[in-house]
Amino acid sequence: MAHNHSNEDGSIGTSLHGVTAREQVFSFSVQEDVPSSQAVRTNDPTAKFALPVDSEHRAKVFKPLSFAKPHMRAFHLGWISFFTCFISTFAAAPLVPVIRDNLDLTKTDIGNAGVASVSGAIFSRLAMGAVCDLLGARYGTAFSLMLTAPAVFSMSFVADAGSYLAVRFMIGFCLATFVSCQYWTSVMFTGKIIGLVNGCAGGWGDMGGGVTQLLMPMVFHVIKLTGATPFTAWRFAFFIPGILQIVMGILVLTLGQDLPDGNLSTLQKSGQVSKDKFSKVFWFAVKNYRTWILFMLYGFSMGVELTINNVISGYFYDRFNLTLHTAGIIAASFGMANFFARPFGGYASDVAARLFGMRGRLWILWILQTVGALFCIWLGRASSLPIAILAMMLFSMGTQAACGALFGVAPFVSRRSLGLISGLTGAGGNFGSGVTQLLFFSSSRFSTAEGLSLMGVMAVVCSLPVAFIHFPQWGSMFLRPSQDGEKSKEEHYYGAEWTEEEKSLGLHEGSIKFAENSRSERGRKAMLADIPTPETGSLAHV
Amino acid sequence: MAIQKILFASLLICSLIQSIHGAEKLRLFKELDKGALDVTTKPSREGPGVVLDAGKDTLNITWTLSSIGSKREAEFKIIKVKLCYAPPSQVDRPWRKTHDELFKDKTCPHKIIAKPYDKTLQSTTWTLERDIPTGTYFVRAYAVDAIGHEVAYGQSTDDAKKTNLFSVQAISGRHASLDIASICFSVFSVVALVVFFVNEKRKAKIEQSK
């Protein structure tokens, strides 16, 4: 549920707020008379910030090279924490050729462990929203980092397939830092730029999946040089991500700040605030069919990306007889493409929206995801190394851009259940990864190459449902917007999430304001409307 | 962008290397002279159900030209002795698969020794190394010519790879010092978190009571 700073304090679990970065800044409203929900007022009215801030003390500018307290510091601590967790979750993947010999694993064992590594986060991501609400973003992040660090270290104890799977499952829980990172940036940055900020945080964090493919073989090699045998060296190599997690956890707790004005526990909540009911928020998220289409779509963009993080290094090592090092470099390139590809996807979605409205966003999403999947099919069929690398790079750019583009659409699906839908979509990514690994990479039925091609085919097929996402006010890929006078209004769509009783209490005002601002999704025609539409970025993503 | 440029450059280099190496790849296992060498293995511990320990037990391996011999004996320059996976250790493990194409064949990845070819009986005692995985094995000796291509081979088991196999148990790779370090770091992580948490709650209470 997006954090509407005028009147809603999400109750526990509702506030994956800002996860999508559609928080609106309303040019004419200064909500001084309405108590702010997140207990922001300090005693010092002349609080000095390094960056220009809005009335809620959220930064209005994004300066990636600055570490200024508290905004940019929160951004950097947030994305680096998320990055560290990606490193830990996929740290085993490039070392599998050594681990499989040590633990006598079969292909089935390896595949199942891969499924386990992404499954934990399905639940932890959903729970993290509640944790951030209760304890603040710092503790949400720190909990995730420091409570899963023991799981990373316990790779020293692993002796067989079962314990290997259990440890990878537990390490996977730390991917919940995605939610806490996005939550943190949303309280620190204003709505106009939150798209770019979240896009960078998400994309740079995802890069961890690529960096780990380089880092772990390198660390393993260095440890071997000191005289350790391979079967001990790989266990020791896991100490690096583990220690990184502890260090980041401590940095987050000491250098970070929950809110622009201070930490959650030392600020006092002022005034009466209305909390939205979790049951209502949950119901409207689940009832909306578009949520489930996005769930599936993200499962085959981010899901495919997570699966590739697990299998690609071993694939290049085995199929092309490369060294662990070289396979790691190639595999790393896949994850590193996130640095540009994901923000590009969001940007492309924005440009398409400017020209063609929501219909443009949906087409861009479908095109990027399908093109990525087609290159995945090609990757599986490539039998020479240069072609395989080329196919992999094109595949990575398409799929990662699709992830970014999806979060150009997600914020508009619901206003009331915004955060929960983002959380569900995010969980869908992990779910899709689990499914593809289970189907194609966990048995000897398909070779890895065949598995890649089949996964690409499945992704193409499962990207088709985007054609069914229809907004009465904006249309869909193939259908025009509704001609009906009532239904063609954005207010009707977003107002439908509130009952008459709630409307009479004025609880839906945030949705109405959002509806007004979303008229830009009509495309060029919106330029003719007399209500000025604020520029909104849409690079928010999970 | 820098990454794309590097990748493109490496692509070009890879394709160049590939075209140079292209001709070599199609040498097949079935074209080698079978049974040209008599290979025997004698593990340091024998008996039913005995599993050898990697890093500790040894193999006494001997090889010589067999009675069948080989038409290409004149080309033998070096004998490469390797440790090979038996079929039970290849099940559900495609990275150990037997391919007819020698370049792709993954049956014998572990090098034991390479000695120049000698018509007399050669032997060596080899300690099972600490990176040998758990599994069932046999030993194969390839006769290699002057340019490094395999010409003939002999192995310690039959053609079906069923007789005279031995089992190895790998080292665990675990170490007491590693275990202790792991526990220390884990405890530190959890305790640090709890300390920070309790401290902050206490400070908040003090603030509130002011």
Side-chain angles (χ1 to χ4, degrees):
Chain A
M1 169 160 145
H3 175 65
N4 179 336
H5 52 263
S6 67
N7 60 10
E8 280 170 25
D9 183 8
S11 62
I12 291 168
T14 57
S15 84
L16 284 166
H17 74 106
V19 175
T20 60
R22 295 312 281 186
E23 312 340 285
Q24 299 297 335
V25 171
F26 305 116
S27 22
F28 299 112
S29 64
V30 178
Q31 308 281 350
E32 276 156 345
D33 51 335
V34 179
S36 149
S37 56
Q38 279 261 326
V40 167
R41 307 283 170 251
T42 56
N43 293 324
D44 179 13
T46 61
K48 293 253 187 285
F49 295 106
L51 301 172
V53 295
D54 64 10
S55 61
E56 268 212 322
H57 295 173
R58 298 190 201 190
K60 293 203 281 197
V61 239
F62 175 56
K63 285 195 183 152
L65 295 176
S66 148
F67 278 84
K69 202 174 152 159
H71 308 99
M72 289 315 306
R73 214 178 265 197
F75 169 77
H76 287 296
L77 288 171
W79 82 259
I80 297 178
S81 304
F82 181 40
F83 176 86
T84 307
C85 287
F86 248 87
I87 290 184
S88 302
T89 306
F90 295 105
L95 296 178
V96 158
V98 179
I99 301 175
R100 69 190 177 196
D101 277 347
N102 189 184
L103 305 178
D104 199 23
L105 302 175
T106 61
K107 184 170 183 186
T108 312
D109 295 328
I110 296 170
N112 288 340
V115 174
S117 68
V118 297
S119 308
I122 296 176
F123 310 105
S124 64
R125 281 184 173 192
L126 292 175
M128 182 52 81
V131 173
C132 287
D133 270 331
L134 278 176
L135 302 173
R138 280 186 320 137
Y139 276 105
T141 312
F143 265 54
S144 201
L145 287 166
M146 293 170 91
L147 292 182
T148 49
V152 179
F153 288 113
S154 59
M155 274 295 189
S156 345
F157 298 101
V158 160
D160 60 10
S163 46
Y164 175 65
L165 186 140
V167 168
R168 286 208 73 185
F169 178 68
M170 290 193 291
I171 297 177
F173 278 105
C174 72
L175 284 182
T177 31
F178 163 70
V179 174
S180 61
C181 166
Q182 303 268 294
Y183 181 110
W184 208 0
T185 49
S186 324
V187 298
M188 288 289 178
F189 293 89
T190 195
K192 272 192 176 166
I193 53 166
I194 194 62
L196 181 63
V197 175
N198 275 351
C200 289
W204 296 354
D206 286 348
M207 275 202 310
V211 166
T212 197
Q213 318 271 0
L214 275 176
L215 179 71
M216 296 304 284
M218 225 181 276
V219 170
F220 172 70
H221 188 69
V222 165
I223 296 173
K224 271 203 303 179
L225 288 177
T226 65
T229 55
F231 291 175
T232 306
W234 76 264
R235 296 166 186 275
F236 198 29
F238 270 82
F239 275 61
I240 302 298
I243 292 173
L244 269 175
Q245 277 189 228
I246 299 181
V247 165
M248 278 317 298
I250 294 179
L251 283 179
V252 161
L253 289 174
T254 50
L255 295 180
Q257 210 174 285
D258 287 319
L259 299 161
D261 291 312
N263 283 322
L264 195 61
S265 54
T266 55
L267 295 176
Q268 290 167 351
K269 286 191 199 279
S270 55
Q272 297 288 311
V273 292
S274 60
K275 291 173 192 267
D276 202 355
K277 276 166 111 180
F278 179 67
S279 54
K280 282 267 161 90
V281 168
F282 184 76
W283 174 241
F284 282 113
V286 162
K287 200 172 73 151
N288 195 331
Y289 74 93
R290 300 172 192 85
T291 307
W292 301 106
I293 298 184
L294 289 183
F295 181 91
M296 179 155 75
L297 284 170
Y298 203 55
F300 285 93
S301 53
M302 175 50 92
V304 165
E305 190 184 325
L306 293 176
T307 298
I308 293 289
N309 277 341
N310 263 336
V311 308
I312 198 72
S313 174
Y315 174 66
F316 276 100
Y317 180 85
D318 288 334
R319 181 148 187 200
F320 299 103
N321 294 306
L322 304 172
T323 62
L324 217 59
H325 246 170
T326 315
I329 294 174
I330 298 173
S333 319
F334 178 84
M336 304 280 250
N338 260 306
F339 189 73
F340 298 109
R342 191 153 174 166
F344 168 76
Y347 177 71
S349 183
D350 276 347
V351 167
R354 247 180 272 154
L355 298 173
F356 306 110
M358 176 57 71
R359 295 180 81 183
R361 288 195 196 271
L362 295 169
W363 272 101
I364 281 283
L365 172 57
W366 180 78
I367 289 170
L368 287 170
Q369 193 152 328
T370 305
V371 164
L374 289 172
F375 282 123
C376 183
I377 299 175
W378 191 24
L379 170 63
R381 301 184 62 113
S383 49
S384 78
L385 186 61
I387 304 285
I389 295 177
L390 179 66
M392 186 196 76
M393 288 314 297
L394 294 169
F395 159 44
S396 73
M397 294 193 280
T399 302
Q400 287 158 9
C403 292
L406 190 140
F407 278 90
V409 173
F412 295 100
V413 168
S414 161
R415 177 58 180 73
R416 190 171 186 181
S417 313
L418 198 47
L420 194 58
I421 286 181
S422 303
L424 275 171
T425 309
N430 284 66
F431 182 76
S433 178
V435 164
T436 48
Q437 285 185 81
L438 200 58
L439 284 177
F440 303 122
F441 301 102
S442 296
S443 69
S444 289
R445 189 149 166 234
F446 308 114
S447 67
T448 309
E450 286 169 351
L452 287 169
S453 293
L454 288 170
M455 182 168 73
V457 170
M458 192 171 180
V460 170
V461 168
C462 292
S463 302
L464 294 173
V466 73
F468 296 118
I469 297 183
H470 179 78
F471 292 94
Q473 69 273 31
W474 299 316
S476 63
M477 274 170 76
F478 297 109
L479 295 172
R480 288 208 185 185
S482 167
Q483 300 300 325
D484 182 275
E486 260 306 300
K487 291 213 184 119
S488 62
K489 292 217 183 83
E490 287 82 0
E491 285 81 354
H492 176 87
Y493 178 80
Y494 293 110
E497 294 180 321
W498 302 88
T499 62
E500 283 311 313
E501 198 190 311
E502 288 164 336
K503 281 187 190 169
S504 66
L505 290 169
L507 294 173
H508 69 307
E509 308 234 327
S511 289
I512 298 302
K513 287 202 171 109
F514 179 77
E516 285 167 6
N517 285 306
S518 67
R519 251 192 268 287
S520 56
E521 297 305 309
R522 290 192 183 185
R524 275 220 203 90
K525 290 188 234 152
M527 299 307 175
L528 305 172
D530 35 13
I531 299 168
T533 54
E535 245 243 292
T536 49
S538 71
L539 297 172
H541 41 258
V542 172
Chain B
M1 269 329 280
I3 298 175
Q4 331 292 48
K5 281 188 192 147
I6 294 171
L7 229 42
F8 188 65
S10 53
L11 221 96
L12 283 171
I13 297 171
C14 285
S15 44
L16 280 172
I17 297 173
Q18 270 232 276
S19 52
I20 295 170
H21 276 233
E24 281 188 39
K25 306 246 183 71
L26 291 170
R27 295 178 297 120
L28 300 176
F29 184 69
K30 58 181 183 241
E31 291 167 358
L32 302 181
D33 283 347
K34 205 167 66 164
L37 301 163
D38 267 336
V39 180
T40 68
T41 57
K42 192 171 183 308
S44 54
R45 289 184 299 131
E46 275 184 299
V50 159
V51 178
L52 305 171
D53 288 323
K56 280 197 250 163
D57 285 314
T58 60
L59 288 175
N60 191 326
I61 307 164
T62 69
W63 62 95
T64 185
L65 190 66
S66 68
S67 46
I68 309 167
S70 162
K71 291 175 236 126
R72 300 170 72 179
E73 198 216 325
E75 297 173 49
F76 290 12
K77 279 281 177 296
I78 300 175
I79 306 294
K80 287 187 180 167
V81 186
K82 292 187 176 173
L83 189 67
C84 311
Y85 293 110
S89 288
Q90 292 177 301
V91 170
D92 203 12
R93 292 180 178 88
W95 56 89
R96 295 181 184 170
K97 213 160 139 200
T98 302
H99 278 266
D100 204 33
E101 224 181 287
L102 283 170
F103 183 72
K104 287 190 182 166
D105 184 31
K106 308 269 177 76
T107 324
C108 304
H110 304 287
K111 296 192 176 59
I112 296 177
I113 197 166
K115 271 193 178 168
Y117 173 61
D118 193 317
K119 289 195 207 272
T120 61
L121 182 78
Q122 297 284 300
S123 72
T124 183
T125 303
W126 181 69
T127 315
L128 289 160
E129 278 170 12
R130 286 187 294 165
D131 62 353
I132 304 289
T134 304
T136 327
Y137 297 88
F138 63 95
V139 172
R140 183 182 285 167
Y142 285 104
V144 169
D145 67 9
I147 50 171
H149 288 181
E150 293 87 351
V151 169
Y153 74 94
Q155 58 194 27
S156 64
T157 181
D158 61 0
D159 279 342
K161 298 187 250 183
K162 289 217 170 89
T163 60
N164 206 23
L165 304 171
F166 53 92
S167 295
V168 177
Q169 173 66 41
I171 60 165
S172 73
R174 291 180 53 188
H175 251 256
S177 52
L178 218 57
D179 292 345
I180 293 170
S182 167
I183 294 176
C184 287
F185 275 111
S186 305
V187 166
F188 173 72
S189 179
V190 177
V191 165
L193 182 66
V194 169
V195 162
F196 269 104
F197 192 67
V198 164
N199 243 0
E200 265 192 51
K201 283 273 179 253
R202 204 162 9 112
K203 278 201 207 137
K205 273 213 178 107
I206 295 171
E207 282 274 328
Q208 229 174 357
S209 60
K210 275 190 189 156

